[in-house]
Amino acid sequence: ILNVEQSPQSLHVQEGDSTNFTCSFPSSNFYALHWYRWETAKSPEALFVMTLNGDEKKKGRISATLNTKEGYSYLYIKGSQPEDSATYLCAFETSGSRLTFGEGTQLTVNP
Amino acid sequence: NAGVMQNPRHLVRRRGQEARLRCSPMKGHSHVYWYRQLPEEGLKFMVYLQKENIIDESGMPKERFSAEFPKEGPSILRIQQVVRGDSAAYFCASSLGTRLEAFFGQGTRLTVV
């Protein structure tokens, strides 16, 4: 059974704060690490797919890093806005394409 | 280019009935995945299909559940003789291949009464 863990489970920040959360995954049989953003009543939206150790990806105010040797990825949000409020999911991909999701970090940004 | 389309969005079935959930992947995508979200739980993998083939069904319950992705038409997740424990949100995703973004549909919320 693959274990993908995310922390914290939930997070409340003020508008303008920068924040980060963690995804831990098995360091063996690594194929790719996915980050998704999931707003209530919508479908999960892909943010990043990361495949190489040391990868850093950025999309606007959101960025992510990857360490496959120790099995973790960080997601950073700079200058949080209320519209960033969502659940952020990471998913570990093994060869064969199936994604094993973590339980997510629920972010609330207060205006 | 329309996104991943799932229908119906909501489905109510009585215990013992059959539920059919449909998923049309994004245009050009040949990889389809089904995930289930039980109440108070995260997304769990069920099955991965390519056109006319089941690649990995290790997440599917052994009985009553089946999936197909025919050469023509949408992918279908079929649940026979539904029970209350099947009540969940069922999400379909599609991608161009491995290590690439998977795009999710909005899900079908199945309620078994």
Side-chain angles (χ1 to χ4, degrees):
Chain A
I1 295 176
L2 295 173
N3 221 17
V4 178
E5 295 183 357
Q6 292 190 245
S7 63
Q9 193 173 9
S10 66
L11 193 54
H12 291 252
V13 302
Q14 289 299 125
E15 184 175 354
D17 287 351
S18 293
T19 187
N20 66 84
F21 13 98
T22 307
C23 172
S24 302
F25 52 86
S27 53
S28 58
N29 297 321
F30 178 84
Y31 214 62
L33 193 283
H34 299 241
W35 279 101
Y36 284 86
R37 180 172 177 274
W38 195 0
E39 286 183 73
T40 305
K42 294 188 177 179
S43 51
E45 173 197 349
L47 289 173
F48 306 113
V49 180
M50 309 179 79
T51 56
L52 296 174
N53 185 42
D55 247 357
E56 289 189 29
K57 296 223 171 175
K58 189 175 179 183
K59 187 183 282 191
R61 293 180 292 99
I62 305 177
S63 60
T65 60
L66 178 68
N67 183 323
T68 58
K69 294 188 176 174
E70 296 181 39
Y72 65 83
S73 175
Y74 294 134
L75 189 80
Y76 301 91
I77 303 179
K78 187 177 176 183
S80 303
Q81 300 296 309
E83 57 265 31
D84 296 329
S85 297
T87 297
Y88 291 83
L89 297 170
C90 72
F92 176 72
E93 180 182 347
T94 53
S95 64
S97 258
R98 62 179 292 173
L99 297 179
T100 300
F101 282 87
E103 296 292 310
T105 293
Q106 188 172 3
L107 174 68
T108 305
V109 182
N110 300 309
Chain B
N1 188 5
V4 177
M5 304 299 291
Q6 288 188 249
N7 67 80
R9 292 288 305 278
H10 300 275
L11 183 61
V12 179
R13 283 287 176 266
R14 293 187 186 280
R15 277 179 297 171
Q17 290 185 318
E18 179 179 286
R20 278 185 176 239
L21 288 61
R22 292 174 195 77
C23 169
S24 295
M26 284 184 73
K27 191 174 179 182
H29 286 194
S30 59
H31 297 239
V32 166
Y33 316 85
W34 286 92
Y35 291 85
R36 177 167 69 171
Q37 184 187 30
L38 292 166
E40 308 300 320
E41 293 190 17
L43 285 169
K44 303 286 188 232
F45 169 81
M46 297 183 75
V47 63
Y48 161 39
L49 310 106
Q50 294 182 24
K51 280 288 186 183
E52 300 185 275
N53 289 307
I54 297 174
I55 307 301
D56 179 355
E57 57 180 348
S58 56
M60 288 269 273
K62 296 281 182 256
E63 296 176 352
R64 303 187 296 109
F65 284 72
S66 62
E68 62 176 10
F69 187 19
K71 191 175 178 182
E72 303 289 340
S75 175
I76 306 284
L77 180 68
R78 185 178 172 214
I79 311 172
Q80 295 178 290
Q81 299 170 357
V82 295
V83 301
R84 288 229 170 102
D86 297 333
S87 295
Y90 292 83
F91 288 90
C92 170
S94 73
S95 75
L96 285 169
T98 61
R99 292 179 167 178
L100 298 172
E101 287 177 317
F103 293 83
F104 279 79
Q106 293 205 288
T108 293
R109 274 148 186 86
L110 172 66
T111 303
V112 179
V113 297

